[in-house]
Amino acid sequence: MNKSRVTVVDIARAAGVSKSTVSLVLQASPLVNEATRAKVNAVIRELGYVYNRGAANLRQSASSRIIGIIVNDLTNSFFAELAVGMDMVMQSAGYVQFLSNSAESVDRQREVIASMREHGIAGLILSPARGTEAADLKPLAASGIPVVAVVRNVVGAKVSTLFSDNYAGAKDAVRHLVSLGHTRIAFLGGIANTTVFTERVEGWRDALSEAGLAAPDRLVIGTAASRAGGVAAIERALLLPEAPTAALCFNDAAAFGVCDGLRAAGKEPGRDFAVVGFDDVIEAETAVPALTTVSVDPQGMGRRAAQLLLKQINAGRVEPETIVSSVRLVVRQSCGAGQTDRTRRISA
């Protein structure tokens, strides 16, 4: 079946219901029971059907000047900076962006993607919500709509991906902490079921092993990747029998929270406990103490993602690419090194 020409009749036949029932589901009518609605919606997703409201249809996507952008946590300043980078490129290229926040909800993400497709987007840049699967992006790829996944990789999805070298960044940060004399270094913050978390913890673990130091699981304390999550993580870390003296944090938001939690415990970040973040958001340089962090250049990543999407749109075909962006360690006061802007580059 040609998925770009799926009709209501095709949906009805595949779902084993009448054409009128499919129409009612598309109109969100309360006359359809939930079991039938769920079955029809599952078939709609599988076949990649797009409900045409008259604004645009799938065949008009090629001439559309609309780009969809979905991020998983717009409350995190990293993603705000990422979106700004995308806007710089898309606006200059004459495109209008529809920006949405999935708030880590796969269901919300699916609804937004469906809505964007109804309005005939020319392409999509997506920072996937936790739990996103290749099947969630399958209808887009099958319909020839270019997609670029940023920050997180969706295994098996036939879309372009752009993410930072999480492993190298984490490893270099821990090596720096070891060079400062720390032997008990924790990994604080972040949710375990993401590729980003896995890669950063792997870099943390391998750097400790390389230095002949233990990397016990108790020193990996996963929490929300937020300021509040960082506070919770350091509170738990300080209660350990042999508490750590330094930490690599999942991101800058968690690192700021770790600094808050240290002060609440009567400890000064950078003096009594070394803190390293990950991202290098704008606030990192002006924080007190200034935050040592692994810079992934969020605005630069946003620009590269937009350029990658435009490349596919202009080519008129989808040819997935994978780009691993280099990172750099920015050493400031929070790690106790007493330097303000020494950097070391890590090649991807």
Side-chain angles (χ1 to χ4, degrees), residues 71-331:
V71 298
N72 55 289
D73 183 9
L74 201 51
T75 64
N76 185 332
S77 60
F78 170 86
F79 292 103
E81 291 185 43
L82 189 76
V84 166
M86 296 174 193
D87 181 72
M88 289 177 181
V89 174
M90 288 302 179
Q91 190 175 51
S92 63
Y95 284 85
V96 175
Q97 299 116 76
F98 283 178
L99 173 63
S100 184
N101 177 34
S102 70
E104 295 288 14
S105 168
V106 174
D107 289 338
R108 168 64 178 161
Q109 180 176 277
R110 288 170 181 157
E111 292 172 0
V112 171
I113 289 175
S115 178
M116 288 179 171
R117 291 185 67 202
E118 289 169 17
H119 288 84
I121 56 171
L124 173 69
I125 302 177
L126 170 73
S127 178
R130 286 197 305 270
T132 299
E133 299 178 349
D136 293 311
L137 304 181
K138 181 180 177 182
L140 291 160
S143 299
I145 298 176
V147 178
V148 175
V150 294
V151 182
R152 293 173 179 168
N153 184 27
V154 180
V155 179
K158 297 179 179 180
V159 301
S160 292
T161 56
L162 172 64
F163 52 92
S164 57
D165 196 339
N166 296 298
Y167 174 83
K171 195 170 184 180
D172 201 66
V174 174
R175 283 171 171 166
H176 177 68
L177 290 171
V178 170
S179 75
L180 296 176
H182 295 281
T183 58
R184 295 193 304 279
I185 303 169
F187 185 95
L188 304 180
I191 305 298
N193 65 338
T194 65
T195 55
V196 177
F197 182 91
T198 300
E199 290 164 359
R200 292 179 184 177
V201 168
E202 185 179 1
W204 166 85
R205 198 179 301 279
D206 286 356
L208 289 176
S209 177
E210 179 184 86
L213 299 174
D217 290 342
R218 65 178 177 275
L219 286 181
V220 178
I221 302 177
T223 59
S226 64
R227 195 160 192 145
V231 172
I234 190 63
E235 286 176 348
R236 288 166 54 186
L238 294 177
L239 292 175
L240 292 172
E242 291 187 330
T245 61
L248 168 62
C249 302
F250 176 78
N251 61 6
D252 287 350
F256 293 142
V258 167
C259 290
D260 293 340
L262 285 168
R263 291 192 183 95
K267 297 179 180 293
E268 183 59 29
R271 184 191 69 195
D272 304 315
F273 192 101
V275 181
V276 179
F278 212 115
D279 285 343
D280 198 20
V281 297
I282 291 174
E283 297 94 328
E285 188 173 3
T286 56
V288 179
L291 184 66
T292 295
T293 184
V294 178
S295 175
V296 305
D297 185 15
Q299 287 195 25
M301 179 176 280
R303 290 193 297 270
R304 288 190 293 275
Q307 290 162 353
L308 182 56
L309 186 67
L310 286 176
K311 176 183 174 182
Q312 295 186 70
I313 292 173
N314 294 334
R317 61 183 182 276
V318 177
E319 293 184 352
E321 298 181 48
T322 297
I323 298 175
V324 180
S325 175
S326 62
V327 298
R328 62 190 178 97
L329 179 64
V330 181
V331 180

